[in-house]
């Protein structure tokens, strides 16, 4: 069953207009709802909004939006005043321009929605706009007021409908210069690059989102279910040891071990520079005594 529309209004391209609904394209992956509770009683804790000066609680009717114009100086703005300055994009997405989808920097993409025609009368106009963008290979740019804020939205054909993705504003996207300018270029050899490229080639798969599951969420659900059954003390689930790949001497060895593991070989092959004692050359107790030690000879593995 389709979810309820987050926004309803009109999609307009010049003089062509149609009634549309905006539906969330993503949902929360969490099936387990967690709340803050009283450790002693196990009861849920209520959150109260209080006046920062008087300390008295403020009910919903006494709450109003306050915009900060200076430090500790807030100007109240009523909902009625916000309605008076409502923009056209509050009820209409007007496609202002078009661009190639690949021209949009991925950092600006925020949240996706499905845009669908809301009634039979609007389907023809909706299909005209959708099919025209599909044939030209273009995505539309418009504006929409959602959650009391105007956002730029990228609109592109998606199946029988349209995909509308909210975009971040330029001042919301940080420049990478501060993070990358002091990063050294490094000096990898051709052999290192070749091994890395081979590793990438061996690990290349067709993207399948079903292969990626929220393992933390699954572990949390298992933990909660286990505690709900109240297991006997001392019989709880033991923590599994985290597997390690052994000591990595250098980057080249790490790359070679990675290739070996992809081939099905051992990923913990010892470095050629490390000498491993064989069964024939293991130390005797007499040699250990000459060194002033009382250790016994190690048993062969």
């Amino acid at each position: 069953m389709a979810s309820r529309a987050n926004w309803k209004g009109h999609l307009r391209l010049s003089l062509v207009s149609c009634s549309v609904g905006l539906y969330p394209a993503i949902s929360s992956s969490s099936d387990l709802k967690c709340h803050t509770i009283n450790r002693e009683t196990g009861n849920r804790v209520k959150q109260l909004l209080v006046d920062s000066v008087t300390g008295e609680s403020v009910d919903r009717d006494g709450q109003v939006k306050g915009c900060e114009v200076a430090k500790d100086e807030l100007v109240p703005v009523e909902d009625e005043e916000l309605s008076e300055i409502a923009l056209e994009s509050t009820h209409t997405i007007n496609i202002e321009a078009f661009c190639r989808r690949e021209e949009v920097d991925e950092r600006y993409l925020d949240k996706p929605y499905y845009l669908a025609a809301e009634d039979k009368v609007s389907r023809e106009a909706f299909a005209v706009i959708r099919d025209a963008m599909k044939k030209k290979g273009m995505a539309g740019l418009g504006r929409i007021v959602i959650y009391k804020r105007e956002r730029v939205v990228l609109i592109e054909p998606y199946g029988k409908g349209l995909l509308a993705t909210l975009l971040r504003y330029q001042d919301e996207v940080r420049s990478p210069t501060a993070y990358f300018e002091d990063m050294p270029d490094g000096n990898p050899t051709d052999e290192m690059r070749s091994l890395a490229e081979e590793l990438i080639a061996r690990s290349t798969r067709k993207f399948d989102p079903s292969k990626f599951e929220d393992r933390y969420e699954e572990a949390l659900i298992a933990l909660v279910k286990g505690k709900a059954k109240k297991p006997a003390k001392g019989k709880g689930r033991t923590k599994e040891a985290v597997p390690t790949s052994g000591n990595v001497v250098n980057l080249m060895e790490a790359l070679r071990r990675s290739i070996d593991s992809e081939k099905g070989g051992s990923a913990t092959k010892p470095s050629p520079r490390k000498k491993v004692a064989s069964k024939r050359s293991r130390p005797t107790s007499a040699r250990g005594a000459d060194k002033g030690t009382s250790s016994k000879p190690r048993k062969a593995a």
Side-chain angles (χ1 to χ4, degrees):
M1 182 178 179
S3 58
R4 295 178 59 185
N6 286 46
W7 179 93
K8 287 186 178 183
H10 290 82
L11 176 66
R12 186 170 68 196
L13 174 60
S14 189
L15 299 178
V16 179
S17 179
C18 56
S19 178
V20 294
L22 196 71
Y23 299 86
I26 58 176
S27 63
S28 175
S29 61
S30 175
D31 293 326
L32 183 66
K33 292 182 173 59
C34 298
H35 306 278
T36 302
I37 62 174
N38 185 330
R39 187 190 298 275
E40 299 296 328
T41 65
N43 299 327
R44 287 182 61 175
V45 175
K46 289 185 177 181
Q47 189 174 27
L48 297 176
L49 296 179
V50 299
D51 189 295
S52 60
V53 177
T54 65
E56 296 179 356
S57 61
V58 182
D59 58 22
R60 185 176 294 274
D61 292 336
Q63 300 170 22
V64 64
K65 182 185 293 293
C67 298
E68 188 172 359
V69 294
K71 187 177 181 181
D72 298 329
E73 184 179 350
L74 301 170
V75 176
V77 179
E78 300 289 346
D79 289 341
E80 294 77 10
E81 295 175 302
L82 293 174
S83 299
E84 291 176 1
I85 63 170
L87 302 172
E88 178 191 23
S89 52
T90 303
H91 304 292
T92 301
I93 302 175
N94 183 31
I95 302 179
E96 304 172 11
F98 292 90
C99 68
R100 297 283 180 186
R101 171 63 182 81
E102 56 270 20
E103 294 175 357
V104 182
D105 191 321
E106 299 294 323
R107 296 174 300 166
Y108 287 88
L109 302 180
D110 187 7
K111 195 172 183 179
Y113 289 87
Y114 295 129
L115 198 62
E118 279 296 285
D119 50 56
K120 293 182 178 180
V121 177
S122 300
R123 288 178 183 175
E124 186 175 13
F126 182 89
V128 166
I129 297 173
R130 177 200 63 203
D131 294 348
M133 284 197 292
K134 185 182 296 184
K135 186 172 182 179
K136 298 294 290 185
M138 292 290 181
L141 291 168
R143 302 172 191 269
I144 181 176
V145 173
I146 186 169
Y147 305 126
K148 298 183 179 180
R149 182 188 176 197
E150 186 178 55
R151 303 289 300 273
V152 178
V153 61
L154 178 74
I155 302 171
E156 55 188 311
Y158 195 85
K160 294 182 178 181
L162 295 170
L163 183 66
T165 305
L166 301 183
L167 300 183
R168 299 181 177 92
Y169 287 102
Q170 186 174 10
D171 60 0
E172 294 180 294
V173 178
R174 294 181 176 180
S175 169
T177 304
Y179 308 99
F180 299 155
E181 62 180 352
D182 295 329
M183 182 177 293
D185 294 332
N187 190 27
T189 64
D190 291 340
E191 186 179 3
M192 288 180 180
R193 291 193 186 96
S194 179
L195 288 172
E197 290 170 7
E198 183 180 350
L199 184 60
I200 292 173
R202 290 178 178 275
S203 302
T204 300
R205 307 283 188 277
K206 185 176 180 180
F207 176 68
D208 182 2
S210 65
K211 300 295 184 182
F212 297 92
E213 299 176 351
D214 191 341
R215 296 181 297 180
Y216 181 82
E217 178 72 12
E218 292 175 354
L220 179 59
I221 292 175
L223 171 65
V224 173
K225 287 183 176 180
K227 295 192 72 172
K229 294 179 181 179
K230 297 181 181 180
K233 188 176 181 181
K235 295 184 179 180
R237 184 179 176 183
T238 57
K239 186 177 180 180
E240 297 180 359
V242 179
T244 60
S245 58
N247 295 327
V248 177
V249 177
N250 54 35
L251 177 58
M252 182 64 77
E253 183 176 356
L255 290 167
R256 286 171 176 162
R257 290 189 185 186
S258 298
I259 296 297
D260 288 342
S261 65
E262 288 294 323
K263 291 179 179 178
S266 172
T268 57
K269 185 178 180 180
S271 169
R273 286 176 286 182
K274 291 184 178 181
K275 293 184 178 181
V276 181
S278 64
K279 295 180 180 181
R280 295 181 180 179
S281 60
R282 66 182 185 181
T284 62
S285 58
R287 293 174 65 184
D290 292 339
K291 295 181 181 180
T293 62
S294 59
S295 60
K296 295 181 179 180
R298 292 182 298 173
K299 293 182 178 180

